[in-house]
Every structure is written in structure tokens, then in C-alpha cells.
Amino acid sequence: MSTPYRKWVCISCFFVYDEALGLPKHGIAPGTRFEDLPEDWVCPECGSPKSYFELQVA
Amino acid sequence: MSETYDYYSDEFQSDPAATYQRMRERCPVHKSDTWGWYSLFRYADIQKVISDNETYSVRKGPGPIDTEGNPGILVATDPPQHMLEKRLVGRVFNLSLMESFEPGLRKYVAGLLYDLAPAGRCDLIVDVAEPVPLWIICQLLDVDFERWGRKMREWVYVLAGAVFSQDRDMGSEVLEAATGLRGFLEPIVDAALAKRASGEAPGRGLIDQLAAAEVEGMRLNKDQLMGFGNFVVIAGSGTTTNSIGNFFAAMVDHPDQFALLKQCPELLPNAVEEVIRFYAPVPGLFRTNNKPVTLGGVDIPVDSKICVMWGSGNRDPELFERPNEFDITRDLEELKRKNLSFGGGIHRCMGAPLSRMEIRVVVEEWLKRIPEFREYEPRVRYPHATLIGDDHLYLEWEAAGR
């Protein structure tokens, strides 16, 4: 069984990357896992690097 | 002679947008002969700096004076320390905490307006824009607003102004304010640390919660907690005060946009963001380069203070179409993504959602009671160079009684 989709929150601006939704407007397909985003991907809202995201805990 | 400007001049302070445009077109990377620091006016250069945290550091502080070595948190730290601090602070100071204040704030603003509306006139800054962010800060710190609000206002007014001061020797007014704020924060921090040491549960205030938080084995020490307390009080008040004032000034200055807002109240979040973009209450903040760089063809030696001009970036046609038009119908998502007034990259202001909420709630509650108003005396500009906005904004309206 595949891992459920998760949400990742930017610790700079609180933008949430939802793996289920992806970011189609930015060319990221729904279902794209956070770890599969390119290493140079940055927060679409504030520009912080991937290292500034952490798993959102419910 | 090459184009120049003086950040502290009346010309810049009274109409920064005109200077932004002139400098962006004629001298986008400027070195001040008077102050020795550089200013960046073009979005492209600003973006280069805020997205490269290895080259451009905040270790020498966010203002023009070198403060390296002073205890600092977030605004004066670089990764990886900065990342740990943001993770830790975010455990406590996050969206759900900020949103939790909205109902209480709405009640507080309604109470303010219950008294103000029948009077038919007010000084929007003194009567509304100053107390609102201070009320929020008192909620955050879990202290009595009636007791501390006025004191905080006095300290903040002086200390926020001092961020852009060129004087290394702080004047007696600044020292007095710094001592006052320290005397207020220290017992809170000491009590929080005592609870942590004894294993007692933390109180609900931000400092207690932060003292108890831990990320990857890191906990905040006394200097860091004091630094954060200072930061919340100073950075969280004057900026929002100015933006609340700027909102009302914008409605006076752009009556067509005000009419549109009343016709389409769903545009309020767009209007709030547009006010923040258009007026940029903090015109710029500083970075320091860790190695020699060339920006816009200008060679900048290592360890230079470089002022990133948020206000100018927001008026750059490379970033926004029709940048000098105040337009509340701009796309909200695009505005929020591009708006530089909260800074950018890893140092983006964590309190941005709180500030937006404060402005929105004030405007919503105000318009329920006072849908029409006018300026009855010329506004008075805020006198310190750190922030651009009004110190007094005199509004009047037809009072309908309670």
C-alpha cells in the first residue's frame, strides 16, 4: 500500500505544499512527493529553499 | 555627476516612490558617500541578494550600523542557526496561534469604535492604528494591555526609529526606552526560564511557550528569549501601525478605489495586500556580503552594508505591471507571492499573516460603522527614517450616534 500524501509547511511564510494537489500552475503535477521536487525548488510564496520546509503535523 | 540620493533626506522620506523610480532608472546600485553603504533599487538585484544566503548575510544586523556580536535572533542570524530558530519559533508562533486572536481582536476594535464613532472625528493613528498591534502583542505575551500598552507605545516609537539611526552612541531617549523595554521583558523571560528549570508547565504566553520548545536539542537561552521579545514588540507594532494608517490614507487619496472596495467588499484582502505593496512601510533592510560581489556592474567590496530597497522593488515594472498604480483588483495570489514589503526568502516576516489580519479586521469593523470619512487636517509624517507612514491622520465623518 502506498504512503498517504502528506503536507509540508514552509517555516518562513507558512505556505503549505500539499503532495496530493501538487502545484499545477507551477508545473508540478498532483501526487508529486515532496522528496521528488528538484533540490533547487523554492517556496513559491517566499522563495525559501526546500530545507525550510517541514512535515505538517496534524 | 552620477545620480545620488540621501535616505535620510526630506526628499526621500516624503515621497520615496519618486526617488525609487529616479534611482532605478539612473543609478540602480548606489553607494552613499555620506553613509558608506550601498542601496539596491532594481528587483533583479534585490532578488539576487535575498535568494543567496551564503553570499549575503544578516550577521551585521538589519540596520546600517554593524551590530555583529550583539545577541540576536532570526533577523540577525544566518543558516543553519537561523533555520533551527525558525523551526523552534514556528512550533509556537504559527498560523493557528495568529488566527486564534481574530475573535478577540474584533471585539477589541468594536469597543474602540463604540467610543470613537459618535465623536465624529479622530486621529486614526493615535486612536486606532497604534493601540491595535500593541493589543495583539499584549495578547501574545499574555500581559495586561491596560497596564503595558501605553508604555510599550513609548518604547517602540523610539526604538523602531533607532533601527535606522546612524549614531553608534545611542541618545538618552533611546537608552531610556531600551532600559524600559528590558525591564518589562526580563522578569517575563526569567520566570519562563525558572519554570523550564523546575519542570513546571509553561504559561500560555509566547515567551513561556518558546522557553519550553526544543528543536534538534536546541533550546533558546536568555539572550535569545530577550532578543525575541524585543523583536516581537518592536517589529510587530510600528510596521502594522503604519500599514493601518496607510490603508486609510490610501482610501482618502484614491476615492475611486475606496468606492470599488465598498461595492465589492470581497476585495478587502487584495486591498490590504496592495496597500502593503504600494506604501512599503519599511523601505529597506540590510544584508552584508561575505565576499566581493558585482551587482548591476558595480563592484562591492567584501563586508559592505547593502540596503535592499523593498519599496523600490515593489515599484519595479519588472516585478509588477503598472507598478505606480494603486489597484485593489490585482490578483491576490500574485500580490502575496511578489510583494517584497515583508522581505523575501528565508527572512520573510513570520508575522505577515498576523499583520494582514489586524489591518483587515480594523477595516471591516470600521466600515460597518463609518462608511464615509474625510481628512480634516493635513496628515503629519512619522519622523523616524526606519518606517514610512503617518504619525497623525485626522479623519472626520457624520456621527450617527450609538
Side-chain angles (χ1 to χ4, degrees), chain B residues 271-282:
Chain B
V272 168
E273 201 68 24
E274 176 68 346
V275 163
I276 298 168
R277 174 193 80 85
F278 197 77
Y279 293 93
V282 180

Side-chain angles (χ1 to χ4, degrees), chain A residues 8-16 23 25-26 42-57, chain B residues 51 53 78-79 82-83 86-87 90-91 93-95 98 333 336-338 344-351 353 356:
Chain A
W8 296 77
V9 63
C10 171
I11 58 172
S12 261
C13 70
F14 306 107
F15 173 84
V16 174
L23 288 167
K25 272 192 200 171
H26 299 262
V42 296
C43 172
E45 188 139 324
C46 74
S48 286
K50 266 182 95 174
S51 57
Y52 272 65
F53 276 76
E54 60 183 13
L55 192 60
Q56 190 173 53
V57 185
Chain B
S51 57
N53 302 294
D78 294 315
H82 175 267
M83 185 171 67
K86 269 216 160 161
R87 279 189 200 284
R91 298 267 190 274
F93 185 71
N94 50 35
L95 276 185
M98 294 185 227
E333 197 187 311
K336 286 173 81 170
R337 189 175 72 245
K338 294 181 175 176
I346 63 168
H347 290 285
R348 168 73 71 97
C349 171
M350 289 180 93
R356 291 182 183 118

